[in-house]
Amino acid sequence: MNASKYTMKLEAASINDIELVGGKNASLGQMLQNVALLGVNIPGGFIVTVTAYYDFLDHNGLVDRIVSTINNTDINDLQQLALCGQIIRDLVRQGEIPAGMRAEIAAAYKTLSNLYGIQNVDVAVRSSATAEDLPDASFAGQQDTYLNINSEAGLIESIKNCFASLFTDRAISYRAAFNYDHFKVGLSVCVQKMVRSDRGVSGVAFSLDTESGFKDAVVINASYGLGEMIVQGSVSPDEFTVFKPLLKQGYPAIIEKKLGEKHQKMIYGHTEGQNLQIVPTDAADQNQFCLNNDQILQLAAWVASIEEYYSKLKGHWCPMDVEWAVDGIDNGLYILQARPETIHSRKTQGVF
């Protein structure tokens, strides 16, 4: 951990730092520290800590105003709840980042930009809450993500938007209904180099066959553009299956390739921020696989390595759900996020 109060390098975080950096950042930092040593490419970045979130609230006198707004709202009245949420989110977005905090964030952004040799490197800004392991995802807010941010002003605005995401209508309602302290959940922010998958390819990969629970396969779903289209089920992606035991012995162990329709893709425009749009995929691209064999095998090897690492860490088999992307500018393959795959593995634990 560095000496800064409000920022730290992404690779300095570990799974022991959830209270300081939130669940997602802790997992990503842990992976950067360990899995990157196995040759896995992970984009660099930095963290704005939970300390910054709480100090931001204090600096702007927001705690009492938020509590008062919620206490004067009938959360069972959807109109009142919507107004309450809007008021609180606006209060947060209109808040001022303290000068010292802003200077630290600006310095960290400049360091990251210098790392990539770009004056204002384009980054993805993601929220990471300290309560992400709780059973209801709405507890921690929507976990907003802001893409293609390439200025200090845009970065500051995105960080405040992440802070505001803890106060979605649903999150407010959930916490109030269960009498849970609204300020017990803290929020950290991850600022990470953008992988330009809008000009390339992205998707998800699993270190098991999620349909059968078969442990010896890596299954990759891939499509053009940002990965959100696959997550939403808006496209039929290409699917590749690789046999892990032979892969680990050095064989090109691709056992199945299914061509997906991939009829559209999500990209973003030239302006800073979300600015997402869905456009048709070129006919030629639709009719060919979006990953070549070398990329499939490299990705499968990385997914298998990540599974091995987390299985050793946890002391039992830990199949993984991995987000990945190919940058359309530098053609590099990157791992964006990795989390334990729980739904299917829990059902099939011990079957194979």
Side-chain angles (χ1 to χ4, degrees):
M1 206 176 295
N2 59 23
S4 301
K5 183 177 181 183
Y6 298 119
T7 62
M8 61 191 289
K9 291 182 178 178
L10 191 51
E11 63 267 28
S14 76
I15 54 170
N16 298 316
D17 295 319
I18 289 176
E19 288 306 307
L20 181 65
V21 302
K24 285 182 184 172
N25 283 343
S27 174
L28 200 52
Q30 184 81 22
M31 191 165 70
L32 261 168
Q33 280 184 34
N34 298 279
V35 178
L37 298 177
L38 305 174
V40 177
N41 286 343
I42 302 169
F46 66 92
I47 293 166
V48 179
T49 64
V50 172
T51 307
Y53 167 71
Y54 286 124
D55 281 8
F56 168 81
L57 294 180
D58 288 342
H59 178 78
N60 291 281
L62 290 177
V63 173
D64 289 344
R65 295 166 77 183
I66 290 170
V67 169
S68 175
T69 304
I70 293 170
N71 287 346
N72 289 316
T73 299
D74 177 0
I75 62 161
N76 296 312
D77 182 319
L78 293 182
Q79 278 189 314
Q80 284 194 42
L81 176 63
L83 181 60
C84 169
Q86 191 62 57
I87 289 170
I88 292 172
R89 291 191 296 276
D90 286 346
L91 283 172
V92 174
R93 291 184 183 120
Q94 290 161 11
E96 176 190 55
I97 299 277
M101 187 185 299
R102 183 168 186 139
E104 267 198 45
I105 292 168
Y109 180 52
K110 186 175 182 181
T111 299
L112 183 64
S113 296
N114 290 342
L115 180 66
Y116 288 96
I118 300 169
Q119 185 171 3
N120 287 304
V121 68
D122 47 339
V123 291
V125 184
R126 297 184 176 89
S127 46
S128 174
T130 57
E132 284 166 354
D133 56 342
L134 293 172
D136 192 303
S138 65
F139 213 148
Q142 282 188 316
Q143 303 307 289
D144 289 356
T145 297
Y146 299 91
L147 304 174
N148 198 26
I149 304 301
N150 49 37
S151 70
E152 182 188 325
L155 176 57
I156 293 295
E157 183 182 350
S158 300
I159 289 168
K160 289 197 290 185
N161 283 333
C162 286
F163 289 168
S165 74
L166 267 185
F167 294 96
T168 61
D169 302 351
R170 190 177 171 198
I172 292 167
S173 172
Y174 187 93
R175 291 192 296 257
F178 287 89
N179 201 27
Y180 193 88
D181 185 342
H182 291 277
F183 302 101
K184 196 170 181 182
V185 181
L187 194 107
S188 168
V189 178
C190 176
V191 180
Q192 193 174 22
K193 167 74 172 73
M194 278 293 304
V195 174
R196 293 301 300 267
S197 59
D198 64 310
R199 299 190 187 183
V201 181
S202 64
V204 292
F206 300 92
S207 65
L208 82 168
D209 183 330
T210 56
E211 290 187 13
S212 67
F214 182 54
K215 290 183 177 182
D216 284 337
V218 171
V219 177
I220 299 165
N221 291 324
S223 192
Y224 297 106
L226 302 174
E228 193 63 26
M229 299 298 284
I230 293 177
V231 175
Q232 292 174 352
S234 303
V235 294
S236 168
D238 292 342
E239 184 174 288
F240 310 106
T241 305
V242 180
F243 188 55
K244 275 191 287 192
L246 288 180
L247 178 71
K248 290 175 183 177
Q249 292 175 36
Y251 293 100
I254 302 170
I255 53 179
E256 188 175 34
K257 296 166 76 170
K258 294 179 185 174
L259 188 67
E261 189 181 6
K262 309 185 298 291
H263 64 294
Q264 54 186 9
K265 60 183 178 179
M266 184 180 284
I267 62 171
Y268 49 78
H270 301 295
T271 56
E272 193 176 25
Q274 292 285 56
N275 193 29
L276 301 177
Q277 49 186 309
I278 295 170
V279 298
T281 305
D282 293 342
D285 285 340
Q286 285 187 48
N287 294 315
Q288 65 181 9
F289 291 113
C290 60
L291 292 180
N292 61 40
N293 285 358
D294 287 344
Q295 290 170 319
I296 294 165
L297 292 168
Q298 179 67 83
L299 179 55
W302 285 355
V303 171
S305 294
I306 291 168
E307 181 190 68
E308 277 187 21
Y309 168 72
Y310 277 96
S311 296
K312 285 177 184 173
L313 184 69
K314 292 179 178 293
H316 58 78
W317 176 55
C318 183
M320 300 298 291
D321 170 355
V322 176
E323 293 175 31
W324 59 270
V326 175
D327 190 309
I329 297 175
D330 67 15
N331 291 317
L333 176 65
Y334 298 90
I335 299 299
L336 305 179
Q337 183 68 267
R339 61 182 70 85
E341 197 290 327
T342 53
I343 298 170
H344 301 283
S345 59
R346 200 177 288 146
K347 289 178 186 173
T348 56
Q349 189 83 41
V351 172
F352 289 91

